Amino acid sequence: MMEQIFSYRRWLIISPHADDAELGCGGSIARAIEAGIEVHIAVVVLKGETHLREQRYVSATQRHQELAAAMNSAGAHYSVLNFVNEGESFDMASSSQSVCVQQLDQLLETLQPELMLMPVPSFHQEHQWVYHCCVAATRPTKNQRSLRLIAAYEYPAAGWGNSSSWDSSRGAVYINISDYLPAKLAMLTAHQSQMSATRNALISLDGVKRLASYRGVEAGYDHAEMFYVMRGWVD
């Protein structure tokens, strides 16, 4: 089924924050868009926050500008499910999962995607929260007429915590992005406030290149992204 991934004409990618989809599957996004596939990225929350590593505040407005620039670079459609204005507070991990599941339900009904990609759960509590909402929204009892494949994407920070126990026995598939790594890096360069210049930083252009090279070595490509198959349908 995964060899048909680029025959699916509508993709929905769930991104906990404004850069996660690009970190995890930016190369596949670029490859899909070149193939004429409609790609929609749904960012669950966009808010201002202070970076622990630098104690530097980045506003929601700046995050949104960076997201718009990244999506323009990619040629992808996007939506923000929860935009938190300056001065407002929103703790996603302690908010109502049922509301988010309803938002995802509505997206699936409106967009009718053939492929849905969700983040693997990592040490980040908000990523775990979004993962569980995605699992609920793709529950087997739903009548999903269009959806053909559900998979989970990784990202550089996924090697520690819940997602570190995921391995190829779950049904991992490698996507060759050797020709699309520059496009992925261009998307991430737009997220200027998020890409660290610190040596060996996980969330950095260098970290992204290293992970893509590592997965490429495993798969026999120069660079690759890895997806975990959650569920698929064959008629």
Side-chain angles (χ1 to χ4, degrees):
M1 172 166 287
M2 285 298 290
E3 71 270 14
Q4 299 176 339
I5 185 171
F6 294 102
S7 70
Y8 299 137
R9 308 313 298 169
R10 292 184 306 281
W11 292 16
L12 172 61
I13 305 173
I14 309 301
S15 185
H17 307 101
D19 56 351
D20 292 319
E22 298 95 303
L23 284 165
C25 44
S28 298
I29 291 169
R31 183 171 170 177
I33 290 172
E34 183 181 82
I37 294 168
E38 180 182 332
V39 178
H40 186 99
I41 296 172
V43 177
V44 177
V45 65
L46 197 156
K47 61 182 179 179
E49 56 188 349
T50 300
H51 286 274
L52 293 177
R53 65 176 179 267
E54 298 174 355
Q55 289 300 304
R56 176 173 54 87
Y57 181 77
V58 180
S59 70
T61 298
Q62 182 176 350
R63 293 299 309 268
H64 197 192
Q65 290 171 343
E66 292 176 348
L67 171 63
M71 296 296 94
N72 183 61
S73 172
H77 304 280
Y78 77 95
S79 60
V80 177
L81 302 188
N82 300 283
F83 185 91
V84 183
N85 294 309
E86 300 302 328
E88 297 178 349
S89 60
F90 181 81
D91 180 12
M92 183 162 69
S94 62
S95 61
S96 170
Q97 285 194 341
S98 63
V99 171
C100 182
V101 173
Q102 290 171 10
Q103 291 174 323
L104 296 177
D105 283 345
Q106 185 59 53
L107 269 176
L108 287 164
E109 181 63 29
T110 300
L111 298 175
Q112 292 288 305
E114 296 174 84
L115 169 68
M116 176 172 163
L117 295 172
M118 66 178 75
V120 298
S122 69
F123 62 82
H124 198 308
Q125 69 272 16
E126 293 186 341
H127 285 218
Q128 296 178 33
W129 189 92
V130 170
Y131 169 80
H132 290 301
C133 289
C134 289
V135 170
T138 54
R139 53 200 178 274
T141 54
K142 279 192 67 178
N143 180 24
Q144 293 153 339
R145 295 180 297 278
S146 66
L147 202 53
R148 310 306 302 163
L149 180 64
I150 304 166
Y153 62 86
E154 62 173 3
Y155 35 86
W160 173 257
N162 286 356
S163 53
S164 65
S165 62
W166 288 41
D167 57 39
S168 58
S169 66
R170 282 179 171 263
V173 175
Y174 297 88
I175 306 298
N176 183 1
I177 64 162
S178 301
D179 294 335
Y180 301 92
L181 183 61
K184 177 173 183 171
L185 297 176
M187 296 175 209
L188 290 167
T189 299
H191 293 284
Q192 183 179 6
S193 69
Q194 305 304 301
M195 296 299 110
S196 174
T198 303
R199 183 177 176 84
N200 297 322
L202 286 172
I203 306 304
S204 65
L205 298 181
D206 182 61
V208 167
K209 288 186 284 188
R210 290 194 193 192
L211 180 58
S213 178
Y214 175 66
R215 293 308 186 196
V217 167
E218 291 182 329
Y221 301 131
D222 290 333
H223 298 98
E225 290 170 342
M226 189 171 71
F227 296 158
Y228 296 95
V229 177
M230 302 292 290
R231 190 165 78 245
W233 293 262
V234 176
D235 292 330

